[in-house]
Amino acid sequence: MSIKTLNNMAPPLDFSFKNLATLTDSLEEEPRKGTKLKDVELQEGYTDIVTAVRYNNNSIHELGDLVPSITSLVVNPTAISWLDFSFNDINALDDSLLQFPNMTTLYLHGNQLMSLNEVKRLSGIPCLRTLTLHGNPLEALDGYRQFVLGTLPCLKQLDFSSVTKQDRADAENWKKLCSKKMKNEQEKESGRINSLL
């Protein structure tokens, strides 16, 4: 089944507030909204395509079972454009998010992400335009907004705020500053190693 026009989008599958510990648990649950789904989509004449899934307000710790779970729920997983994992216990991202090349919106606010390096994984999602990360420990790190925007330059919204020209300029300056600092540290480290030889 091919992706249909916007007027044929099914409502989001909503697994929020279901006490899910893993994404696989959603396979045993009925969504709060939306139709489950693959069986209905396979019926002749059904043209609505699921493009959004909500897993917010649960106890999910990791995303390793994302692809098999989504694949079991919907006919065309590549049509997914919005995933909501807000208010869970996720402390690391994994490459499963890269399996959704049409994803434009990803909500990760209110989780336990601590390292800005987690943001680098998202650079492999070419259509990502809206991202939320506020309410994670990484938000308190120096240069948080500049780092995220420098790493994901195609974002139009970060943490429910539009990205401005000034934000982009700040991110570019931050990136240059960090590049110089890293180069200087590498040169110092190289000098120390040479002096030991």
Side-chain angles (χ1 to χ4, degrees), residues 2-179:
S2 62
I3 298 174
K4 302 295 182 184
T5 59
L6 290 176
N7 58 356
N8 286 333
M9 288 189 329
L13 291 179
D14 189 350
F15 293 102
S16 59
F17 298 97
K18 290 284 193 173
N19 272 344
L20 303 178
T22 68
L23 294 169
T24 306
D25 292 345
S26 65
L27 302 179
E28 305 300 319
E29 293 283 338
E30 284 299 316
R32 299 173 72 80
K33 292 181 183 171
T35 306
K36 195 176 174 185
L37 327 333
K38 200 166 188 174
D39 297 335
V40 173
E41 288 183 358
L42 289 173
Q43 292 175 9
E44 192 171 327
Y46 186 85
T47 60
D48 290 354
I49 300 295
V50 173
T51 60
V53 185
R54 294 180 182 148
Y55 288 109
N56 57 297
N57 296 84
N58 284 293
S59 300
I60 297 166
H61 292 277
E62 53 120 338
L63 302 175
D65 52 351
L66 177 61
V67 173
S69 297
I70 294 286
T71 301
S72 295
L73 293 170
V74 301
V75 170
N76 190 351
T78 60
I80 298 296
S81 63
W82 176 39
L83 289 171
D84 184 351
F85 294 107
S86 59
F87 301 106
N88 277 286
D89 295 317
I90 298 166
N91 59 20
L93 302 179
D94 83 29
D95 291 341
S96 62
L97 291 168
L98 304 178
Q99 302 305 309
F100 303 95
N102 295 308
M103 184 165 33
T104 61
T105 303
L106 179 60
Y107 289 173
L108 291 165
H109 55 280
N111 278 284
Q112 298 302 315
L113 298 171
M114 295 186 186
S115 171
L116 289 172
N117 285 327
E118 296 300 325
V119 175
K120 291 179 183 177
R121 292 179 181 265
L122 302 177
S123 64
I125 306 172
C127 296
L128 189 62
R129 299 296 179 264
T130 301
L131 175 66
T132 61
L133 291 166
H134 61 281
N136 282 282
L138 62 76
E139 181 187 24
L141 299 173
D142 286 341
Y144 156 75
R145 187 169 178 88
Q146 293 85 355
F147 180 87
V148 173
L149 294 176
T151 303
L152 305 171
C154 293
L155 286 182
K156 297 201 180 293
Q157 279 198 333
L158 175 61
D159 296 335
F160 298 118
S161 292
S162 293
V163 176
T164 65
K165 288 180 183 178
Q166 186 61 53
D167 286 332
R168 293 203 190 285
D170 291 347
E172 189 59 35
N173 289 336
W174 178 263
K175 202 171 182 180
K176 287 177 186 174
L177 180 66
C178 288
S179 292

